[in-house]
Amino acid sequence: MDSGCGHGNVFIMHVEDDRISSLPDDVIHKILSFVGLKHAVQASVLSSRWKYIWTSLPYLNFLGEDFSTERMFSKFVEHFITRHNNLLKVSSVKLTFYGPFNQVFVKRIMNYAFTHNAQQMTVRRLDWFTDDLPVSLFSSQSLKSLSLRQLKPAPTWDLPFLTTLYLDYVIFDVNEGISHISKCANLKNLTLHSCWVRESYYETVGCFDIHLPELCNLTLKDGGCFEMGLNVFAPQLENLTVIDWEQVHLQSIPTLVSLVFKGRYNGLLQISSFDLCFLEKVDRLCIYKSYNKKDKIDDDHNLVALLRQIQNAKRITLNLDLIQVCHYVNIDL
C-alpha cells in the first residue's frame, strides 16, 4: 500500500493477485466441495489459476436441482466425467436427483465413483419412486460411509469396509427385511430415520434382527411407520439414541455408556440391568405417559424398573413426568 500526496490522506492500493487464488489446490478443492459441480466448473472463468482446478476435484457434488431438465443434467454429467482427471482417486461423491434410479446419468455417476475408489457416498432422491437400487451400489471394496434418502436398497450387500450407514426415509421390503445390514460386519455407526416397511396385507412379520458386532453408535428416530419390532445385537454399543421409535429390543449391550430416549415407554425398549452397569450419562430421558388407564399402569411399572436401572449413572436429565415418578416411588437419582 503506497501513500499519495497533495490531496490530503489519499491511499492507493496495488493488488497483484487475489488471496484465494494463492491458496494450495487441496484448500480450493475443499472450498468447492460445498457447492454443486455446476458452480465449481463455472468458477473456472475467474482466472487462469481456476481454469482447470475442477478437473482435479476429489469431492464430487452432483446437484440435480441446479438444472432445469434431466437432459441438461445428464449432458453436464457426461461433460464433467469425460474431462475429470481419470487418474485421480475420488474421496466422496454426492448425488441429489429427481426421478427413477435407472436414468443414464445416475448409473454413470455410480460407476465412476466406485471405479475410482470413493470412500464416501451420499445419494438423495427428491421425489418418491419405488424402483430398487442396483446391486452394484451395494458392492464396493473401498466405501466407508454411505447415506441414502428416499430409496429402496437392493437385497444383496457387499460392503466389507463400511463403518458408517445413514438411512433416511428408506423403504424395506417385508420379505427381505433389514437383516442385510448385518452383512456390514465392520459397521460402527448406524442411523435409521423415518424408515418404513413395504408390507403385504397377507404377510406378518414379528421382528427384524440386526447383528452388528462392532457397532458403537446407534440412532433410531421417527419409527412410527416401522411397525415391525427391531431386535438389536450389538455387544460393543456405547451410545444409544431412540426418539419416537418404541419397538426396540436390545440384547447384549454391556458397554453402553450414553442413553438418549424420547417417546412413550411401554416396555418395548428392553435393556437388562447387567447391560447398564457401565452407563455414565442419560441425556434427554423424555417419556410421554399414556392416557389409557390400563396402559398407564403398565407404563408406570415399566418406568419404575427403568429408573432403578439408570439410577447409578453419573449424569441424568429427566422430564417433569419422570421426576414425579421418582418422587412417588422414592427413587433417589
Side-chain angles (χ1 to χ4, degrees), residues 188-191 215-220 232 234 236-242 250 253 255-260 278-283:
K188 296 183 181 299
N189 310 291
L190 173 62
T191 297
L215 191 68
C216 295
N217 305 293
L218 174 61
T219 298
L220 304 171
V232 180
Q236 302 298 321
L237 190 66
E238 296 180 1
N239 303 294
L240 172 63
T241 298
V242 180
L250 295 136
I253 51 171
T255 58
L256 190 70
V257 296
S258 176
L259 171 64
V260 175
F278 293 105
L279 191 65
E280 296 180 358
K281 182 174 64 175
V282 181
D283 278 341

Coordinates of all heavy atoms in Angstrom, one line a residue, residues 188-191 215-220 232 234 236-242 250 253 255-260 278-283:
K188 N -19.8 -49.3 12.5 CA -19.6 -48.7 13.8 C -20.7 -47.7 14.1 O -21.0 -47.5 15.3 CB -18.3 -48.1 13.9 CG -17.1 -49.1 13.8 CD -15.8 -48.4 14.1 CE -14.6 -49.4 14.0 NZ -14.7 -50.5 15.0
N189 N -21.3 -47.1 13.1 CA -22.3 -46.0 13.3 C -23.5 -46.3 12.4 O -23.3 -46.4 11.2 CB -21.7 -44.6 12.9 CG -20.3 -44.4 13.6 OD1 -20.2 -44.2 14.8 ND2 -19.3 -44.4 12.8
L190 N -24.7 -46.4 13.0 CA -25.9 -46.7 12.2 C -27.0 -45.7 12.7 O -27.3 -45.6 13.9 CB -26.3 -48.1 12.5 CG -27.7 -48.5 11.9 CD1 -27.7 -48.4 10.4 CD2 -28.1 -49.9 12.3
T191 N -27.6 -45.1 11.7 CA -28.8 -44.2 11.9 C -29.9 -44.7 11.0 O -29.7 -44.8 9.8 CB -28.5 -42.7 11.6 OG1 -27.4 -42.3 12.5 CG2 -29.7 -41.9 11.8
L215 N -20.6 -52.4 16.2 CA -21.4 -51.2 16.3 C -21.2 -50.4 17.6 O -21.3 -51.0 18.7 CB -22.9 -51.5 16.2 CG -23.8 -50.3 16.0 CD1 -23.6 -49.7 14.7 CD2 -25.3 -50.7 16.1
C216 N -20.8 -49.1 17.5 CA -20.6 -48.3 18.7 C -21.7 -47.3 18.9 O -22.0 -46.9 20.1 CB -19.3 -47.6 18.6 SG -17.8 -48.6 18.5
N217 N -22.3 -46.7 17.8 CA -23.3 -45.7 17.9 C -24.5 -46.1 17.1 O -24.4 -46.3 15.9 CB -22.7 -44.4 17.4 CG -21.4 -44.0 18.1 OD1 -21.4 -43.7 19.3 ND2 -20.3 -44.0 17.3
L218 N -25.7 -46.0 17.8 CA -27.0 -46.4 17.2 C -28.0 -45.3 17.4 O -28.2 -44.9 18.6 CB -27.5 -47.7 17.7 CG -28.9 -48.1 17.2 CD1 -28.9 -48.3 15.7 CD2 -29.3 -49.4 17.9
T219 N -28.6 -44.8 16.3 CA -29.6 -43.8 16.4 C -30.9 -44.2 15.7 O -30.8 -44.6 14.5 CB -29.2 -42.4 15.8 OG1 -28.0 -41.9 16.6 CG2 -30.3 -41.4 15.9
L220 N -32.0 -44.3 16.4 CA -33.3 -44.7 15.8 C -34.3 -43.5 16.0 O -34.5 -43.1 17.1 CB -33.8 -45.9 16.5 CG -32.9 -47.2 16.4 CD1 -33.5 -48.3 17.3 CD2 -32.7 -47.7 15.0
V232 N -31.9 -55.8 18.3 CA -30.5 -55.4 18.0 C -29.5 -56.1 18.9 O -29.6 -56.1 20.1 CB -30.4 -53.8 18.3 CG1 -29.0 -53.4 18.0 CG2 -31.4 -53.1 17.4
A234 N -25.7 -55.9 19.7 CA -24.5 -55.1 19.5 C -23.7 -55.1 20.7 O -23.8 -54.1 21.6 CB -25.0 -53.7 19.1
Q236 N -20.7 -54.2 21.4 CA -19.8 -53.1 21.6 C -20.5 -51.7 21.6 O -19.8 -50.7 21.6 CB -18.8 -53.1 20.5 CG -18.0 -54.3 20.3 CD -17.1 -54.6 21.5 OE1 -16.6 -53.7 22.1 NE2 -17.1 -55.9 21.9
L237 N -21.8 -51.7 21.7 CA -22.6 -50.5 21.6 C -22.3 -49.6 22.8 O -22.3 -50.0 24.0 CB -24.1 -50.8 21.6 CG -25.0 -49.6 21.3 CD1 -24.8 -49.0 19.9 CD2 -26.5 -49.9 21.5
E238 N -22.0 -48.3 22.5 CA -21.6 -47.3 23.6 C -22.7 -46.2 23.7 O -22.9 -45.7 24.8 CB -20.2 -46.7 23.3 CG -19.1 -47.7 23.4 CD -17.8 -47.1 23.1 OE1 -17.7 -45.9 22.9 OE2 -16.7 -47.8 23.1
N239 N -23.2 -45.8 22.6 CA -24.1 -44.6 22.6 C -25.4 -45.0 21.9 O -25.4 -45.4 20.7 CB -23.5 -43.4 21.9 CG -22.1 -43.0 22.5 OD1 -22.1 -42.6 23.6 ND2 -21.1 -43.2 21.8
L240 N -26.5 -44.8 22.6 CA -27.8 -45.2 22.0 C -28.8 -44.0 22.1 O -28.9 -43.4 23.1 CB -28.4 -46.4 22.8 CG -29.9 -46.8 22.5 CD1 -30.0 -47.3 21.1 CD2 -30.4 -47.8 23.5
T241 N -29.4 -43.7 20.9 CA -30.4 -42.6 20.9 C -31.7 -43.2 20.2 O -31.6 -43.7 19.1 CB -29.9 -41.4 20.0 OG1 -28.8 -40.9 20.6 CG2 -31.0 -40.4 19.9
V242 N -32.8 -43.2 21.0 CA -34.1 -43.6 20.5 C -35.1 -42.5 20.6 O -35.4 -42.1 21.8 CB -34.5 -44.9 21.3 CG1 -35.9 -45.4 20.7 CG2 -33.5 -46.0 21.2
L250 N -33.1 -54.5 22.8 CA -31.6 -54.5 22.7 C -31.1 -55.7 23.6 O -31.5 -55.8 24.7 CB -31.1 -53.2 23.3 CG -31.5 -52.0 22.4 CD1 -32.0 -50.8 23.2 CD2 -30.3 -51.6 21.5
I253 N -25.7 -55.6 25.4 CA -25.0 -54.3 25.1 C -24.4 -53.9 26.5 O -24.7 -52.8 27.0 CB -26.0 -53.2 24.6 CG1 -27.2 -53.1 25.5 CG2 -26.4 -53.5 23.2 CD1 -28.1 -51.9 25.2
T255 N -21.6 -52.6 27.2 CA -20.7 -51.5 27.2 C -21.4 -50.1 27.0 O -20.7 -49.1 26.8 CB -19.6 -51.6 26.0 OG1 -20.4 -51.7 24.8 CG2 -18.8 -52.9 26.2
L256 N -22.7 -50.1 27.1 CA -23.4 -48.8 26.9 C -23.1 -47.8 28.0 O -23.1 -48.1 29.2 CB -25.0 -49.1 27.0 CG -25.9 -48.0 26.6 CD1 -25.8 -47.7 25.1 CD2 -27.3 -48.2 27.0
V257 N -22.7 -46.6 27.5 CA -22.3 -45.5 28.4 C -23.2 -44.3 28.3 O -23.2 -43.4 29.2 CB -20.8 -45.1 28.2 CG1 -19.9 -46.2 28.6 CG2 -20.6 -44.6 26.8
S258 N -24.0 -44.2 27.2 CA -24.8 -43.0 27.0 C -26.1 -43.4 26.4 O -26.2 -44.2 25.4 CB -24.1 -42.0 26.1 OG -25.0 -40.9 25.8
L259 N -27.2 -42.9 27.0 CA -28.6 -43.2 26.5 C -29.4 -41.9 26.4 O -29.4 -41.1 27.3 CB -29.3 -44.1 27.5 CG -30.8 -44.4 27.3 CD1 -31.1 -45.1 26.0 CD2 -31.4 -45.1 28.5
V260 N -30.0 -41.8 25.2 CA -31.0 -40.7 24.9 C -32.3 -41.3 24.5 O -32.3 -42.1 23.6 CB -30.5 -39.7 23.8 CG1 -31.6 -38.7 23.5 CG2 -29.2 -39.0 24.3
F278 N -22.4 -50.0 33.1 CA -21.3 -49.0 32.8 C -21.9 -47.7 32.4 O -21.2 -46.8 31.9 CB -20.4 -49.5 31.7 CG -19.5 -50.7 32.2 CD1 -19.8 -52.0 31.7 CD2 -18.5 -50.5 33.1 CE1 -19.1 -53.1 32.2 CE2 -17.7 -51.6 33.5 CZ -18.0 -52.9 33.0
L279 N -23.2 -47.5 32.4 CA -23.9 -46.3 32.0 C -23.5 -45.1 32.8 O -23.5 -45.1 34.0 CB -25.4 -46.5 32.1 CG -26.3 -45.4 31.4 CD1 -26.1 -45.5 29.9 CD2 -27.8 -45.6 31.8
E280 N -23.0 -44.1 32.1 CA -22.5 -42.9 32.7 C -23.4 -41.7 32.5 O -23.5 -40.8 33.4 CB -21.1 -42.6 32.2 CG -20.0 -43.6 32.4 CD -18.7 -43.2 31.9 OE1 -18.6 -42.1 31.2 OE2 -17.7 -44.0 32.1
K281 N -24.0 -41.6 31.3 CA -24.8 -40.4 31.0 C -26.1 -40.8 30.4 O -26.2 -41.6 29.5 CB -24.0 -39.6 30.0 CG -24.6 -38.3 29.6 CD -23.7 -37.4 28.7 CE -23.4 -38.1 27.4 NZ -22.6 -37.3 26.5
V282 N -27.2 -40.1 31.0 CA -28.5 -40.3 30.4 C -29.1 -38.9 30.1 O -29.4 -38.1 31.0 CB -29.5 -41.0 31.4 CG1 -30.9 -41.1 30.8 CG2 -28.9 -42.3 31.8
D283 N -29.0 -38.6 28.8 CA -29.5 -37.2 28.4 C -30.9 -37.3 27.8 O -31.2 -38.2 27.1 CB -28.5 -36.7 27.3 CG -27.3 -36.1 27.9 OD1 -27.3 -35.7 29.1 OD2 -26.3 -35.9 27.2

